[in-house]
């Protein structure tokens, strides 16, 4: 509250009444337009010559700017020159390796030439993309990828109708279709096996139902939701296996023949799609009031975060078969997939937990006071806000996961990088630029995917922050 | 402080029924070793408008938060609308459906529009069709005089408007009792009046309410009972006129002198 002027102060000195509004003026040139932008972003830091110190700093900043500009430009020029200007693009006479040899080496290119040898990459294209997948069945891979891209695009682009429905299909039917198309289906799972697992799943769900109504005592009441989740996982997994056992007349392709970008995408997409929901459940579990859910989630997260992914993959492919009974044989790729999935779920859980912690307690109370159940308040109130907060962290984990898929080459699965490396070993294309061309190409593919994810996440952040205006 | 309404206009058409809505018997609660509610006994009838005041930390918020189980009490009985509050989730859900709550910091959901904030619980808890829920929500938004803000987000509204939305959101569940937890404490002085006016009109329509507040003008005008709490106990309760003009306990006198003389 303003203090009233004391009586002794002379009123004439203090009193003021505005009779005219102060004029509204346009901003000075340094604040607006192109000049303003240049001034604020570039010249402001290097044009202060008011004192000796400031002058030295301005000159230093200017010098450093010129140097960085030159150095950065040189890098970009080198890359463009390597990849496009000096590169060899075609091999009309099918000379193979000789097309990229200099005169000294016995070829026809000028000595000192050093640039990309694209015919090599073109020749290895099928191997880098599909691995040893049978050539006559490549349409199955292409169809899977095209369906995936169309579905993904449909879900990501706004204003298209039926987005939730398409999203649901992409999460349920598409993985099954993709699985059948890629492997060929017709797996020799017996119907007794399927039936047994269905019964087990239904049993778990019934226990959960009875438990949540309190018929089985307090212990089962507490763990009912865990039983329910496991039960549904078992059932959906069994249904998938049942469908995969049907003969669609496709030739079976062993996952050992898969390779290249196909493997990278399969591992990354499975990991990304599975890690988010798993991570959310683990994060909620870790913050749960129920001691059992909390302890289980915490142990799970800490265990998987505590071991390196390479160890996980090694254990999955080398150690796990030793513990399994004779004759039971998991697919090597499947084992790696599960390893990657659980590993990234643990990381995702901690990212999501960070988001949950940022939500004000009042939001939980508001939702509770309105009578929303725990799952309703999570789904409708808490998670939409928490996940929005941690979009950068989530996408960061996605990108990390996408690049970590290269580690599967350690256990004999030829992903994009592994496939590229074995392509380099081909003596028919041996030349000094063979390896570097391949690595540049592979780096480019990784960059495209990761950059796309990054941009989409930035777009999402902007969109959510403008529409919600906190 | 909002301006003091004259007590001559008060309580027209506000009647208290005989039906018991809430009864608290020997309720005790601890936070760790801290005994925050000590032997609380309170009966609230239908249509009553109770104002709870007291120094901060005296347990008044905790008391009303026990009524819809945002806080758990450790000893004693709480019955709301004949339903006993215990660990049975079904009872808790049933009580929360009938008890609306307005918070100091509004607790609107920032990712939903005003209208969506208001329809969320009717749709998901009362299983009301969306169109009907929206119709009811618009009625209540009109009632709190901000129907034109329905499609904005909470962050775009002033504090007073947000609190009125929070009141409308609670009303959309058509509660039998409203709890107000310092609804005007986080507001700028010029916005307090619009919220209090809304609450007064609610009281005039016969809504039962328990209100933790320091707005003594509101207490005089609306309350039929004022409760003074200190150190987790109910120290004094009386009709507002008697409570303000003739407080009995020394603690009440001290408290009133502190909040009224400034």
């Amino acid at each position: 509250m303003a203090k009233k002027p004391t009586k002794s102060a002379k009123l004439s000195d203090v009193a003021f009444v505005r009779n005219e509004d102060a004029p509204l003026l346009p901003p000075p040139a340094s604040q607006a337009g192109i000049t303003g932008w240049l001034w604020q972003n570039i010249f402001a830091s290097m044009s202060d010559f008011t004192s000796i110190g400031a002058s030295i700093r301005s000159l230093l900043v200017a010098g450093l700017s010129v140097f960085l500009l030159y150095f950065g430009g040189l890098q970009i020029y080198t890359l463009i020159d390597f990849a496009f200007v000096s590169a060899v693009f075609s091999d009309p006479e099918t000379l193979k390796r000789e097309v990229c040899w200099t005169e000294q080496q016995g070829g026809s290119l000028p000595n000192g030439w050093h640039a990309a040898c694209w015919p090599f990459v073109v020749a290895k294209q099928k191997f880098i993309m599909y691995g040893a997948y049978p050539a006559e069945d490549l349409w199955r891979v292409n169809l899977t990828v095209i369906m995936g891209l169309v579905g993904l695009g449909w879900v990501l682009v706004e204003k298209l109708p039926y987005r939730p429905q398409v999203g649901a299909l992409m999460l349920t039917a598409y993985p099954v279709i993709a699985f059948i198309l890629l492997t060929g289906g017709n797996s020799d799972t017996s119907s007794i096996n399927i039936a047994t697992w269905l019964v087990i799943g239904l049993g778990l769900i019934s226990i959960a139902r009875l438990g949540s109504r309190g018929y089985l005592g307090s212990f089962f009441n507490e763990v009912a939701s865990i039983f329910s989740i496991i039960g549904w996982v078992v059932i959906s997994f069994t249904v998938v296996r049942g469908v995969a056992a049907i003969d669609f007349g496709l030739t079976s392709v062993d996952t050992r023949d898969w390779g290249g970008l196909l493997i990278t995408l399969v591992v990354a997409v499975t990991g990304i799609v599975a890690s988010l929901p798993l991570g959310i459940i683990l994060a909620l579990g870790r913050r749960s009031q129920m001691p059992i859910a909390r302890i289980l989630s915490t142990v799970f997260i800490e265990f998987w975060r505590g071991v390196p992914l390479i160890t996980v993959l090694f254990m999955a492919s080398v150690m796990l078969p030793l513990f399994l009974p004779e004759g039971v044989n998991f697919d090597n790729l499947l084992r790696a997939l599960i390893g990657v999935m659980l590993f990234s779920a643990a990381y995702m859980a901690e990212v999501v937990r960070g988001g949950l912690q940022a939500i004000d307690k009042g939001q939980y109370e508001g939702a509770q006071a309105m009578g929303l159940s725990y799952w309703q308040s999570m789904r409708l109130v808490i998670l939409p806000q928490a996940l929005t907060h941690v979009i950068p962290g989530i996408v960061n984990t996605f990108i990390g996961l996408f690049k970590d898929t290269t580690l599967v080459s350690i256990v004999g699965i030829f992903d994009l990088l592994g496939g590229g490396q074995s392509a380099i070993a081909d003596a028919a294309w041996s030349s000094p630029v063979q390896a570097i061309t391949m690595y540049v190409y592979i780096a480019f593919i990784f960059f495209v995917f990761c950059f796309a994810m990054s941009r989409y996440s930035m777009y999402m952040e902007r969109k959510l922050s403008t529409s919600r205006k906190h | 402080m909002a301006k003091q309404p004259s007590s001559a206009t008060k309580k027209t058409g506000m009647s208290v029924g005989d039906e018991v809505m809430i009864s608290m018997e020997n309720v005790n609660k601890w936070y760790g070793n801290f005994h925050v509610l000590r032997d609380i006994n309170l009966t609230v009838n239908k249509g009553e408008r109770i104002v709870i005041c007291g120094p901060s930390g005296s347990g008044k918020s905790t008391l009303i938060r026990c009524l819809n189980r945002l806080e758990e009490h450790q000893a004693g009985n709480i019955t709301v609308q004949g339903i006993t509050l215990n660990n049975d989730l079904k009872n808790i859900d049933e009580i929360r459906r009938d008890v609306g709550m307005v918070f100091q910091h509004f607790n609107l959901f920032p990712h939903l529009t005003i209208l969506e904030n208001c329809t969320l619980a009717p749709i998901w808890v009362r299983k009301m069709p969306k169109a009907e829920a929206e119709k009811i929500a618009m009625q209540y938004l009109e009632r709190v005089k901000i129907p034109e803000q329905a499609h904005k987000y909470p962050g775009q509204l002033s504090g007073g408007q947000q609190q009125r939305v929070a009141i409308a959101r609670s009303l959309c569940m058509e509660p039998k009792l409203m709890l107000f937890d310092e609804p005007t404490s986080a507001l700028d002085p010029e916005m307090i009046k619009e919220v209090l006016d809304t609450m007064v009109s609610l009281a005039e329509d016969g809504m039962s309410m328990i209100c933790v507040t320091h707005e003594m003008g509101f207490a005089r005008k609306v309350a039929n009972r004022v409760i003074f709490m200190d150190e987790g106990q109910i120290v004094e309760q009386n009709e507002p006129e008697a409570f303000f003009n003739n407080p009995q306990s020394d603690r009440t006198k001290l408290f009133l002198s502190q909040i009224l003389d400034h």
Side-chain angles (χ1 to χ4, degrees):
Chain A
M1 246 170 269
K3 233 180 172 181
K4 280 175 194 167
T6 49
K7 278 174 191 170
S8 59
K10 271 187 249 161
L11 258 170
S12 55
D13 289 350
V14 181
F16 168 74
V17 178
R18 182 176 283 287
N19 295 316
E20 267 175 66
D21 283 345
L24 292 165
L25 299 173
S30 65
Q31 298 294 312
I34 298 172
T35 347
W37 187 90
L38 283 174
W39 182 255
Q40 283 174 10
N41 291 289
I42 296 176
F43 296 116
S45 58
M46 50 178 98
S47 57
D48 183 1
F49 295 102
T50 46
S51 69
I52 296 177
S55 310
I56 293 175
R57 203 188 57 205
S58 294
L59 287 174
L60 272 177
V61 171
L64 200 63
S65 305
V66 171
F67 172 71
L68 286 177
L69 217 58
Y70 168 76
F71 193 70
L74 198 64
Q75 296 299 312
I76 293 170
Y77 170 76
T78 312
L79 185 65
I80 290 176
D81 179 57
F82 178 87
F84 302 109
V85 180
S86 310
V88 173
F89 281 97
S90 58
D91 182 17
E93 296 156 64
T94 53
L95 297 168
K96 290 205 168 178
R97 58 186 177 184
E98 283 162 44
V99 78
C100 294
W101 282 359
T102 60
E103 280 165 1
Q104 259 172 356
Q105 291 152 352
S108 55
L109 290 165
N111 286 332
W113 176 87
H114 184 81
C117 181
W118 294 124
F120 163 58
V121 172
V122 172
K124 294 293 175 189
Q125 190 65 8
K126 190 248 152 195
F127 188 69
I128 304 166
M129 291 292 141
Y130 306 96
Y133 208 91
E136 66 277 13
D137 285 321
L138 288 186
W139 64 270
R140 280 154 53 178
V141 180
N142 295 338
L143 183 61
T144 311
V145 172
I146 288 169
M147 280 167 65
L149 286 178
V150 170
L152 187 69
W154 198 308
V155 174
L156 294 188
V157 177
E158 273 139 279
K159 292 173 194 161
L160 284 174
Y162 304 115
R163 280 175 70 209
Q165 287 85 341
V166 173
L169 275 182
M170 287 302 290
L171 288 176
T172 52
Y174 178 72
V176 182
I177 296 173
F179 179 78
I180 290 165
L181 273 175
L182 291 178
T183 61
N186 197 13
S187 62
D188 48 357
T189 322
S190 70
S191 32
I192 297 171
N193 184 325
I194 302 274
T196 318
W197 281 104
L198 271 182
V199 169
I200 292 174
L202 287 174
L204 285 169
I205 290 171
S206 337
I207 291 176
R209 281 282 155 86
L210 292 173
S212 66
R213 286 179 196 161
Y215 293 128
L216 303 175
S218 61
F219 174 78
F220 280 101
N221 198 350
E222 250 188 29
V223 295
S225 51
I226 300 175
F227 271 76
S228 164
I229 290 168
I230 298 174
W232 281 112
V233 169
V234 168
I235 286 198
S236 34
F237 198 60
T238 312
V239 169
V240 172
R241 292 209 307 156
V243 175
I246 301 169
D247 185 0
F248 291 95
L250 299 168
T251 41
S252 159
V253 179
D254 196 287
T255 55
R256 269 168 293 194
D257 292 337
W258 300 14
L261 185 62
L262 170 62
I263 285 276
T264 299
L265 286 181
V266 166
V267 177
V269 170
T270 322
I272 284 171
V273 171
S275 68
L276 189 58
L278 271 177
I280 289 173
I281 289 171
L282 285 170
L284 291 177
R286 194 165 185 177
R287 285 171 59 85
S288 163
Q289 307 280 334
M290 296 182 287
I292 294 174
R294 192 171 60 236
I295 291 169
L296 282 180
S297 310
T298 310
V299 168
F300 182 95
I301 292 170
E302 293 306 331
F303 173 77
W304 287 97
R305 281 203 313 167
V307 289
L309 183 54
I310 292 197
T311 319
V312 173
L313 293 173
F314 258 127
M315 292 293 272
S317 77
V318 182
M319 298 294 283
L320 194 65
L322 300 180
F323 296 118
L324 289 174
E326 195 84 20
V328 177
N329 187 29
F330 268 123
D331 185 86
N332 194 23
L333 178 63
L334 182 63
R335 275 179 274 152
L337 267 182
I338 293 172
V340 168
M341 213 166 11
L342 300 180
F343 186 81
S344 46
Y347 276 86
M348 191 57 75
E350 289 298 278
V351 173
V352 174
R353 193 166 68 94
L356 290 173
Q357 268 167 347
I359 304 296
D360 184 63
K361 199 166 146 249
Q363 294 288 311
Y364 292 88
E365 288 175 352
Q368 275 178 8
M370 288 161 67
L372 293 175
S373 73
Y374 173 79
W375 289 109
Q376 282 175 338
S377 54
M378 287 303 145
R379 188 162 55 88
L380 301 166
V381 177
I382 305 300
L383 283 174
Q385 297 182 59
L387 294 181
T388 312
H389 284 316
V390 292
I391 286 176
I394 291 175
V395 176
N396 202 22
T397 311
F398 283 170
I399 290 176
L401 169 64
F402 190 85
K403 291 187 291 189
D404 278 352
T405 57
T406 49
L407 290 174
V408 297
S409 59
I410 293 265
V411 292
I413 299 169
F414 287 96
D415 75 314
L416 185 52
L417 185 60
Q421 273 173 323
S422 59
I424 292 168
D426 185 359
W429 283 94
S430 162
S431 78
V433 292
Q434 183 190 23
I436 191 166
T437 305
M438 184 55 83
Y439 285 129
V440 165
Y441 180 63
I442 289 170
F444 173 73
I445 295 179
F446 272 105
F447 180 78
V448 167
F449 279 97
C450 296
F451 190 63
M453 280 193 265
S454 166
R455 295 309 298 187
Y456 187 76
S457 95
M458 286 168 82
Y459 160 76
M460 281 301 286
E461 273 175 62
R462 255 201 316 277
K463 182 183 152 261
L464 293 175
S465 69
T466 47
S467 78
R468 286 172 189 182
K469 286 198 181 119
H470 289 281
Chain B
M1 288 279 112
K3 76 173 182 19
Q4 306 274 315
S6 78
S7 54
T9 62
K10 68 172 197 173
K11 291 168 207 161
T12 39
M14 295 187 239
S15 63
V16 176
D18 301 332
E19 195 185 320
V20 174
M21 188 155 245
I22 293 173
S23 78
M24 300 177 89
E25 290 161 15
N26 311 104
V27 172
N28 281 282
K29 174 171 175 61
W30 291 262
Y31 285 132
N33 287 325
F34 179 55
H35 199 166
V36 59
L37 290 182
R38 291 155 71 184
D39 195 36
I40 302 284
N41 285 286
L42 178 67
T43 309
V44 181
N45 285 354
K46 192 166 188 293
E48 275 205 275
R49 296 141 332 255
I50 294 178
V51 163
I52 304 178
C53 58
S56 67
S58 59
K60 41 195 197 313
S61 288
T62 310
L63 184 131
I64 67 166
R65 288 157 61 87
C66 280
L67 294 176
N68 64 352
R69 231 332 132 109
L70 288 184
E71 303 282 356
E72 197 178 330
H73 60 283
Q74 279 98 33
N77 277 319
I78 301 180
T79 313
V80 180
Q81 297 255 46
I83 305 163
T84 306
L85 261 179
N86 49 24
N87 281 327
D88 193 336
L89 285 176
K90 233 181 260 168
N91 287 359
I92 297 174
D93 284 345
E94 216 166 313
I95 288 170
R96 283 179 181 165
R97 236 171 285 167
D98 284 341
V99 176
M101 186 161 198
V102 175
F103 299 85
Q104 179 177 2
H105 296 288
F106 333 133
N107 296 357
L108 295 176
F109 306 135
H111 63 299
L112 301 176
T113 62
I114 300 308
L115 189 62
E116 287 165 343
N117 262 282
C118 292
T119 57
L120 188 73
I123 289 175
W124 292 96
V125 180
R126 288 227 187 275
K127 311 287 176 208
M128 201 182 273
K130 193 173 171 219
E132 194 189 336
E134 283 181 352
K135 211 179 105 210
I136 292 175
M138 286 311 292
Q139 275 170 20
Y140 283 111
L141 286 175
E142 256 158 57
R143 162 119 206 231
V144 300
K145 304 197 177 70
I146 32 179
E148 70 282 359
Q149 314 282 7
H151 296 287
K152 289 192 182 168
Y153 286 88
Q156 295 165 286
L157 269 55
S158 73
Q161 290 174 323
Q162 289 194 43
Q163 193 60 298
R164 284 186 282 151
V165 170
I167 295 174
R169 179 175 77 170
S170 294
L171 292 177
C172 285
M173 286 293 280
E174 315 205 304
K176 309 236 165 45
L177 167 74
M178 288 285 283
L179 305 174
F180 292 88
D181 189 358
E182 308 207 21
T184 55
S185 304
L187 295 177
D188 289 340
E190 54 185 327
M191 292 168 183
I192 291 178
K193 186 174 179 298
E194 61 186 60
V195 171
L196 289 181
D197 285 348
T198 310
M199 290 164 65
V200 170
S201 91
L202 206 57
E204 280 167 353
D205 286 0
M207 174 67 77
S208 320
M209 48 207 256
I210 302 179
C211 186
V212 173
T213 184
H214 295 134
E215 298 296 337
M216 292 307 146
F218 173 79
R220 277 175 194 270
K221 186 174 183 184
V222 177
N224 66 311
R225 207 173 357 149
V226 179
I227 292 176
F228 173 69
M229 284 185 74
D230 193 18
E231 296 180 344
Q233 311 163 82
I234 294 179
V235 174
E236 186 165 347
Q237 56 172 313
N238 211 335
E239 295 190 342
E241 217 52 44
F243 179 84
F244 289 113
N245 298 338
N246 189 17
Q248 299 298 311
S249 129
D250 289 342
R251 282 195 265 187
T252 316
K253 286 176 194 163
L254 179 67
F255 175 73
L256 286 177
S257 73
Q258 277 166 344
I259 65 163
L260 294 177
D261 303 345
H262 65 93

